[in-house]
Amino acid sequence: MTRTEVLVIGAGPAGIAAATAAAENGRQVIVLDDNLNAGGQIWRGATVEKAGSSHQGNAAKRRAMTRLQQSGAQVLGGRCVFSVEASGTLQTLQETGSDSLVEQFQFDQLILATGARERFLPFPGWTLAGVFGAGGLQALVKGGYPVAGKRVIVAGTGPLLLAVAAHLAQDGAAVSSVLEQATLAQLAPFATSLWANPAKLVQGARYRGKLWKTPYRTGSWIIEAIAGSDGRKLGAVRVTNGTRTWEEPCDLLACGYHLVPNTEIAALLGCTFRGAFVQVDDAQRTSLPNVFCAGEPTGIAGLEAAMVQGEIAGLSCAGLIGTSLQKRAVVERAFARRMEKAFSLRPELRSLPRADTIVCRCEDVAFGSLHGRTSWTDAKLQTRCGMGPCQGRTCGPAVEYLLGWRPVSVRQPLFPVPLQAFCSHDERVEINQLKEKV
Amino acid sequence: MKPFDILIVGAGIVGSAVARECALIGWRVGVIEGGTPAGGATAAGMGHVVVMDDSPAQLALTAFSRSLWQRDSGKLPKSVEYETCGTIWVAADDEEMVEVHARREVYEEAGVETRVLTAAALANKEPNLRRGLAGGLLVPGDGVVYPPAAAAFYLAEARRLGAEFFQARAMSASQGQVLLSDGVSLVADRIVLAVGTECDLLPSLPIQKRKGHLVITDRYPGFLHHQLVELGYLKSAHKIADDSVAFNIQPRQTGQLLLGSSRQYGNEGPEAEPEMLRRMIDRAKQYMPGLENLSVLRVWTGFRAATFDKLPLIGPAAGLSEDRSLWLAAGFEGLGITNAPGAARLLVDAMLGRKSAIDAEPYLPARLMEPARLAHA
Amino acid sequence: MRETFPVTINGATRQIARGTTVAVAMLLAEQPCRLSVSGEPRGALCGMGICFECRAVVNGIPHRRTCQILCEQDMTVETNR
Ligand SMILES: Cc1cc2nc3c(=O)[nH]c(=O)nc-3n(C[C@H](O)[C@H](O)[C@H](O)COP(=O)(O)OP(=O)(O)OC[C@H]3O[C@@H](n4cnc5c(N)ncnc54)[C@H](O)[C@@H]3O)c2cc1C
Ligand SMILES: Cc1cc2nc3c(=O)[nH]c(=O)nc-3n(C[C@H](O)[C@H](O)[C@H](O)COP(=O)(O)OP(=O)(O)OC[C@H]3O[C@@H](n4cnc5c(N)ncnc54)[C@H](O)[C@@H]3O)c2cc1C
Ligand code: FES
C-alpha cells in the first residue's frame, strides 16, 4: 500500500498543473495515469523516437513538464484506476506484455483530472480497417504508426480536427480534406471568440498554417466509409454537405465527434453532477469534501481551462486560494459554453446508421436491434448493448445522441481486471498470467 | 374500462410466465410493471435451470418446471440462450463422495437422470478444475438460460395473444382493483402479485431480501463446459443466519463465465462488497485456480426473495390477506428462473380448479399461517 | 538510430522499433487485433485505452488492450478470436 497526501488521477494538463501546484506548496503528491507517459491526450508524447522528427515539441508542455519534475510530485504511468473509495483508497492495474500488477494507494485528498474521450457516432462502414478516431489516429501515430504518403481524411467535429490534421500533415500524411459538420455560421461566433482568448488564436493559426493546401469544409460530414477493392480495407468515403453528395478516395479516415468527459470515477464516488459534468465550486471542490475535479470532467473547455482549473485544485489541496486564477477560470468557462454551441451536433447525424450498422462494437449490436427498446437498461438487458469490455464507453454516448437514452450505472471494476485483483488486501499483488500456461 | 380476467403486477420472469400461461387459455390479461421489464432479480440472477433436492417439495417443483423448460426448448428464441449443459455437483473429498451417492438415489427416485463421476471422469470433463478432487454428480438434464430474454419472450408471447402491458407502478391492489402511478385504475377478477422482493402492496408478505454477488468474465470459450457447483452449496444456501459463499460457476453461451454465489441477509444496499467478493473468489479459486487470470468485465448484486422454509408462495393469498381477489407468485429465493414456468402452470391450475401435475399444497401461501410454522419463523 | 527487435505476429516474425505499441505493430503487419463477436476483423479505434477494439492475444494472454502495451523483444501477438 502506497500512502500519499494528494493523489491525482490523470496526467494531462489539468493533472500536471494540479500536481505541480500542490507539490510546490508542500504537499506530498502522486499522479496516476493509464497512459505510459504523462501528457494526457493533447500533450501525449511519442513513444517512438523519430529520426529528424519535424515536431517542434510544445513550449507550454515543456514548461509544464519541467515544473512538474521540479515540484517533487511523483508520476506513475501505465496505471489504470479500476476501483476507488471516497474514504481514501484506490486500486490500479498495471499491465505489461506478460504481467499484471495490482497496487493499492491511500490518499487524504483526491484530484480527478480524468480528461475526456472522443465521441464516436456510428455510420455505415465505420468498422472497416482504416477507420479511426481523430484523436485515435493521432495517438496511434505517436505510438509509432507511420502515415507518411497516406491519403487521410479528417472528419467529425470540434477543434481537435485541425490539431489532428496538422499533426498528421507534419508527419508527412497527405491530408486531403478536413470535414467539419458544424456550419460556418455556427462556427463564426466561436472564431470571433478566439479573440477573447489570444492564446487559443495562436494555437488555431498554427494548425491552419501547416495545412494551407488542405480544404477545411464546414457543414460537411461523412455518410459512409466504403471498402476498397479488397473489400476489407477503407478505400473511400462518401461525404455530403446536405445538398450535394460526393466520394473522396482515401487510405485512412480519422473521424471523431468532439469529446465526452470521463466521469466514471466521479460517478462511482457519488459526486454530484450538473448535466453530464461533475459539479465543482470555485475551489474545484466536488460535492465530496476531499475530492476535487479539474479539466474536461467539469466541462469541455480546452487546454487553458484545464491548466487553470488544475492549478486551482492543486492550490486548494494545499489550503490556498488563487483569486486571480478564479477570474481566469470564469473566462474559460464562458469559452466552454461558446465551444459547445459552435460544435453542437446536427440532427442529420442521427440518420447515418442503417439497420445493420453496428452500434456496440464490443458485442456487435446493430442499430436495428435497438428498435423497440425503451431505455438504456432495457437495451442492455435485451440486446447486450454496452455489456462488453468497454462497458458502454463507446456506444453509450452514441446511443445517447441517437436515441436519447442516458447510460446509467457505473460499477467497480471501472475497467476489466483479472479476477485475482479482487483478492488483494493491502499488499501489492503480482499476477503472473503466464504461470498457468507453462 | 372493461374488466380484465387477470391483472399481473410485476413483469419479471415469474409475472411474464404467468401472463403467457393465462393468455394461452384465452383470458384477458393485463401486465403492470413499474421498472424495466425483467429488470429486477430476473436481470441479476444466474439463469441456472436446475433440479434441487433440498426438500421433497423443492425437488418436485424444480423437476416439474425443468421438464417444462425442456418441452419449450424448441420454441425459445436464440436470445434465450437455452442450453442443456448439465450440472456437476463437485465433491472435494471422500466424505462428499458419500453424499454424491446418497444424492444420486434421491434424484433417481424422482426420475431425474444422474451419473456419478470418478475423480478421473471429473478431471476429464472439466480440465480446469484443480487436481485432487474426489469426483462429482452429473445431472445432464440441467441447463442454462439468459433470464431477461426468457422473461421478454414470455411477455411477448402473452402480448401476441392479446395481453395488455402497462408501464406504471401499482400503488395499491385490492378487491379486484389496481391503482396505477399514472392515475389509471384497472379492474379484474383476480390480481397476481409477482413482485419479486417488493412487498409494499402486501406488507404481510413474509419475504426477506437475500443478497447475492455475481461476477462475469470476458469470453473464454472452452474454459468451462458444465455448470459447476460445490456439493457443500446446499449447506451454505440453507444457513439462515450467516453470510455464506459457495463455488458456483456457469458457462454462458457467449463463452463468458458467470461466477456466484454469495448469500447475505441484512444488507439491502446494491453495492458490491469487497469482502464478500474476496471470499467468493477465494472459494472459487480453491476449485479452479486458473480463474484468477481471467478478466472480469462486471460485478453486480441481486436480491433473492426468501421465505423461511425456502419454498415459494404460489396460490391464493388466503391466510395472508382476507382479499379473495389476491393471488401470489413470489418468494422464489434462488430458483425463480427454474421454477417460473412450473409456478405459472400451478397457479393457473389452481385458478381453474384444474388438477396439477404435482401436488401444489406445499407452496400454498396459507402454510405460512399454520401456528407451528409461525413459531418457526 | 532506431533500435528494433523481433516480434512474432500471427506466426510471422518482423522487426519492430522500440517504443511501438502492440496495436501499431498489428497495423504494420496488416493483421486484425481481434475477430468480433460476429467474426468481423477489428483493430484499434480510439488509440487511448477506451474502446477495447484493440484487444489481442499477447504472449498467450487473451483480451489485452494492445494500444496501451509497448512491444517487447520476442513478444508474440495473435489475433483474438
Ligand atoms: C446471465 C447474465 C449475464 C450478464 N452478462 C453481463 C455482461 O456480459 N456484461 C455486463 O456488463 N453485464 C452483464 N450482466 C449484468 C447486467 O447487465 C446488469 O449488470 C445486471 O442486471 C445488474 O445491474 P446492475 O446492478 O449492474 O445495475 P443497476 O445499477 O442495479 O441497475 C441498472 C439500471 O436499472 C435501474 N433499476 C434498478 N432497479 C430498478 C427498478 N426497480 N425499477 C426501475 N429501474 C431500476 C437502475 O436505475 C439502472 O438504470 C449479466 C446479467 C445476467 C443475468
Ligand atoms: C444472485 C442471484 C442468483 C440467482 N441465480 C439463480 C439461478 O441460477 N437459477 C434460478 O432459477 N434462479 C436464480 N436466482 C433467482 C431468480 O433470479 C429469481 O427468483 C427470479 O428472477 C424472480 O423473478 P420474479 O419475477 O419473481 O422477480 P423480479 O425479477 O424481481 O420481478 C419483479 C418485478 O416486479 C416489479 N414490481 C414490483 N412491485 C411493483 C409494483 N408495485 N408495481 C409495478 N411493478 C412492480 C419489479 O419492478 C420487478 O420488475 C438468482 C437470484 C439472485 C439474486
Ligand atoms: S484502441 Fe481503443 S482501447 Fe485500444
Side-chain angles (χ1 to χ4, degrees):
Chain A
M1 169 98 69
T2 309
R3 246 206 66 79
T4 182
E5 289 171 357
V6 178
L7 195 67
V8 182
I9 307 180
I16 290 172
T20 306
E24 282 177 348
N25 289 287
R27 305 288 283 168
Q28 180 197 12
V29 182
I30 290 178
V31 190
L32 301 171
D33 201 300
D34 188 17
N35 288 309
L36 294 162
N37 297 323
Q41 302 313 339
I42 184 156
W43 289 343
R44 175 187 285 268
T47 51
V48 177
E49 222 179 283
K50 287 216 181 71
S53 163
S54 61
H55 292 284
Q56 298 306 301
N58 178 309
K61 174 185 176 181
R62 271 201 311 273
R63 266 199 311 277
M65 295 301 286
T66 311
R67 245 181 93 186
L68 174 67
Q69 273 148 23
Q70 288 167 352
S71 74
Q74 190 188 358
V75 183
L76 302 175
R79 262 82 162 186
C80 181
V81 175
F82 69 87
S83 88
V84 56
E85 308 278 340
S87 60
T89 56
L90 66 73
Q91 286 180 294
T92 63
L93 177 73
Q94 190 184 4
E95 294 184 294
T96 63
S98 48
D99 282 313
S100 302
L101 178 70
V102 174
E103 287 170 283
Q104 292 231 358
F105 294 85
Q106 225 175 22
F107 56 84
D108 299 326
Q109 288 158 314
L110 184 66
I111 301 179
L112 305 176
T114 44
R117 57 177 177 264
E118 280 188 272
R119 179 190 284 109
F120 295 111
L121 296 180
F123 53 88
W126 78 304
T127 54
L128 281 174
V131 179
F132 303 90
L137 183 56
Q138 186 182 27
L140 291 163
V141 168
K142 289 181 177 176
Y145 187 45
V147 288
K150 297 233 164 85
R151 293 168 306 171
V152 185
I153 289 176
V154 180
T157 201
L160 184 66
L161 300 186
L162 285 169
V164 168
H167 182 257
L168 298 174
Q170 205 168 46
D171 261 39
V175 181
S176 47
S177 48
V178 179
L179 306 168
E180 164 60 61
Q181 59 91 37
T183 60
L184 196 58
Q186 223 180 314
L187 290 174
F190 175 72
T192 323
S193 80
L194 285 173
W195 293 101
N197 296 66
K200 292 204 178 69
L201 185 66
V202 175
Q203 256 181 37
R206 246 208 337 252
Y207 296 147
R208 292 291 292 156
K210 286 170 199 154
L211 293 168
W212 58 277
K213 277 192 293 197
T214 303
Y216 180 64
R217 296 187 213 281
T218 54
S220 305
W221 64 97
I222 306 267
I223 50 177
E224 183 172 7
I226 304 162
S229 49
D230 71 348
R232 312 203 109 190
K233 274 205 323 262
L234 180 69
V237 291
R238 189 165 294 136
V239 184
T240 186
N241 60 11
T243 50
R244 200 169 66 81
T245 296
W246 67 96
E247 268 183 35
E248 289 190 30
C250 59
D251 303 312
L252 305 175
L253 169 62
C255 184
Y257 288 89
H258 206 33
L259 302 172
V260 283
N262 290 325
T263 53
E264 286 76 14
I265 296 178
L268 193 62
L269 286 168
C271 296
T272 302
F273 277 64
R274 205 183 46 223
F277 298 104
V278 180
Q279 184 187 309
V280 289
D281 65 11
D282 285 349
Q284 301 299 133
R285 195 187 297 269
T286 68
S287 57
L288 303 179
N290 63 334
V291 180
F292 298 77
C293 187
E296 319 278 37
T298 69
I300 306 290
L303 176 62
E304 318 294 325
M307 295 201 312
V308 172
Q309 291 179 9
E311 195 168 347
I312 296 174
L315 291 175
S316 302
C317 281
L320 305 166
I321 333 166
T323 327
S324 64
L325 283 174
Q326 287 174 344
K327 278 200 199 109
R328 260 177 71 198
V330 172
V331 175
E332 297 294 346
R333 274 200 289 276
F335 176 75
R337 280 193 298 276
R338 284 195 297 274
M339 180 146 72
E340 197 181 310
K341 245 206 200 115
F343 297 106
S344 61
L345 298 174
R346 58 172 58 240
E348 291 96 323
L349 299 174
R350 292 207 176 89
S351 45
L352 292 186
R354 299 183 190 136
D356 63 352
T357 303
I358 299 286
V359 172
C360 169
R361 298 171 65 124
C362 291
E363 297 293 327
D364 280 0
V365 179
F367 187 55
S369 57
L370 298 177
H371 180 77
R373 306 274 49 112
T374 56
S375 67
W376 174 256
T377 303
D378 183 37
K380 187 175 153 183
L381 287 176
Q382 299 299 340
T383 70
R384 297 192 57 81
C385 186
M387 268 209 198
C390 94
Q391 287 283 300
R393 281 178 176 83
T394 309
C395 63
V399 166
E400 184 172 0
Y401 181 67
L402 295 171
L403 298 161
W405 305 330
R406 200 68 215 279
V408 283
S409 177
V410 180
R411 280 188 178 265
Q412 336 225 30
L414 289 160
F415 285 90
V417 291
L419 206 75
Q420 178 67 1
F422 295 95
C423 298
S424 63
H425 282 303
D426 34 33
E427 67 306 7
R428 288 155 62 98
V429 175
E430 279 190 54
I431 304 165
N432 185 349
Q433 304 223 1
L434 283 179
K435 200 168 59 193
E436 296 301 317
K437 295 264 156 198
V438 252
Chain B
M1 192 180 261
K2 220 178 100 207
F4 287 87
D5 292 308
I6 189 164
L7 283 169
I8 297 154
V9 184
I13 194 163
V14 172
S16 302
V18 172
R20 180 184 70 155
E21 204 66 42
C22 294
L24 278 171
I25 56 169
W27 276 357
R28 183 152 185 254
V29 179
V31 182
I32 300 155
E33 171 58 55
T36 307
T42 302
M46 269 187 129
H48 186 198
V49 175
V50 55
V51 175
M52 283 285 240
D53 67 343
D54 47 336
S55 65
Q58 195 68 277
L59 180 62
L61 181 57
T62 51
F64 169 57
S65 200
R66 194 189 75 175
S67 73
L68 298 182
W69 277 106
Q70 287 167 333
R71 188 207 58 192
D72 267 356
S73 63
K75 288 185 229 146
L76 300 173
K78 244 182 82 209
S79 58
V80 175
E81 299 179 7
Y82 177 73
E83 227 163 58
T84 28
C85 58
T87 307
I88 299 178
W89 297 89
V90 180
D93 50 30
D94 292 342
E95 200 181 317
E96 290 191 349
M97 253 343 249
V98 174
E99 203 179 316
V100 160
H101 289 282
R103 245 171 137 171
R104 177 187 161 81
E105 272 175 34
V106 176
Y107 276 117
E108 293 293 303
E109 219 163 283
V112 177
E113 186 195 345
T114 60
R115 229 173 299 153
V116 173
L117 302 178
T118 61
L122 178 66
N124 184 42
K125 290 217 173 294
E126 293 293 347
N128 281 306
L129 279 170
R130 83 166 152 82
R131 292 296 96 95
L133 294 166
L137 186 68
L138 170 67
V139 188
D142 285 353
V144 167
V145 296
Y146 179 59
F153 166 69
Y154 290 150
L155 184 59
E157 279 293 287
R159 292 178 79 171
R160 191 176 58 79
L161 296 167
E164 286 174 62
F165 178 75
F166 299 89
Q167 180 72 65
R169 222 184 142 68
M171 307 309 287
S172 70
S174 69
Q175 309 299 339
Q177 190 177 23
V178 178
L179 211 65
L180 303 187
S181 51
D182 56 11
V184 172
S185 163
L186 303 174
V187 187
D189 297 341
R190 317 160 185 82
I191 302 167
V192 178
L193 301 185
V195 289
T197 53
E198 295 179 47
C199 302
D200 38 342
L201 292 178
L202 186 62
S204 59
L205 265 181
I207 285 176
Q208 263 187 299
K209 285 185 171 188
R210 206 168 185 200
K211 185 170 175 176
H213 286 70
L214 290 174
V215 172
I216 191 123
T217 71
D218 209 324
R219 297 172 188 240
Y220 296 93
F223 190 92
L224 180 72
H225 309 281
H226 306 79
Q227 176 128 6
L228 303 182
V229 191
E230 68 168 281
L231 207 74
Y233 176 82
L234 277 184
K235 273 182 259 162
S236 87
H238 265 259
K239 274 193 212 153
I240 301 281
D242 295 346
D243 296 348
S244 63
V245 295
F247 171 57
N248 184 354
I249 192 166
Q250 177 177 85
R252 303 291 319 161
Q253 205 178 60
T254 53
Q256 294 173 288
L257 307 180
L258 181 52
L259 180 66
S261 63
S262 66
R263 283 185 150 78
Q264 281 169 283
Y265 286 115
N267 186 340
E268 304 208 342
E271 73 286 346
E273 296 158 54
E275 182 55 20
M276 282 313 279
L277 275 176
R278 194 189 56 73
R279 281 175 57 192
M280 199 172 101
I281 291 168
D282 273 344
R283 186 84 194 158
K285 273 168 38 195
Q286 286 171 24
Y287 285 84
M288 270 199 157
L291 284 175
E292 68 178 32
N293 296 330
L294 306 190
S295 183
V296 171
L297 294 191
R298 194 168 174 93
V299 172
W300 68 92
T301 63
F303 293 93
R304 306 174 184 92
T307 59
F308 77 85
D309 63 0
K310 298 289 171 300
L311 290 175
L313 307 170
I314 307 168
L320 298 173
S321 161
E322 302 289 295
D323 189 338
R324 303 300 304 270
S325 71
L326 275 191
W327 295 69
L328 299 178
F332 289 86
E333 219 271 358
L335 288 168
I337 308 305
T338 305
N339 284 337
R345 180 62 63 82
L346 293 186
L347 193 70
V348 174
D349 287 344
M351 287 171 172
L352 294 177
R354 233 169 29 188
K355 189 171 154 36
S356 289
I358 60 169
D359 177 13
E361 178 100 21
Y363 324 108
L364 290 178
R367 75 181 186 277
L368 299 177
M369 297 314 288
E370 289 165 25
R373 296 264 173 124
L374 263 187
H376 211 291
Chain C
M1 243 336 270
R2 297 208 304 189
E3 186 199 339
T4 65
F5 46 69
V7 170
T8 303
I9 295 172
N10 283 342
T13 303
R14 57 190 295 144
Q15 291 293 316
I16 298 288
R18 174 169 301 284
T20 305
T21 62
V22 178
V24 167
M26 295 301 269
L27 286 170
L28 293 170
E30 300 200 350
Q31 296 294 313
C33 289
R34 67 182 196 104
L35 295 186
S36 76
V37 170
S38 61
E40 276 187 30
R42 298 277 172 77
L45 171 73
C46 76
M48 50 187 79
I50 296 289
C51 72
F52 286 77
E53 281 287 66
C54 64
R55 278 171 291 147
V57 185
V58 178
N59 287 339
I61 305 162
H63 307 304
R64 326 266 348 248
R65 277 184 309 173
T66 57
C67 71
Q68 300 298 92
I69 298 175
L70 293 180
C71 287
E72 292 164 15
Q73 177 144 0
D74 300 323
M75 193 178 243
T76 63
V77 190
E78 287 138 58
T79 298
N80 211 132
R81 281 156 208 279

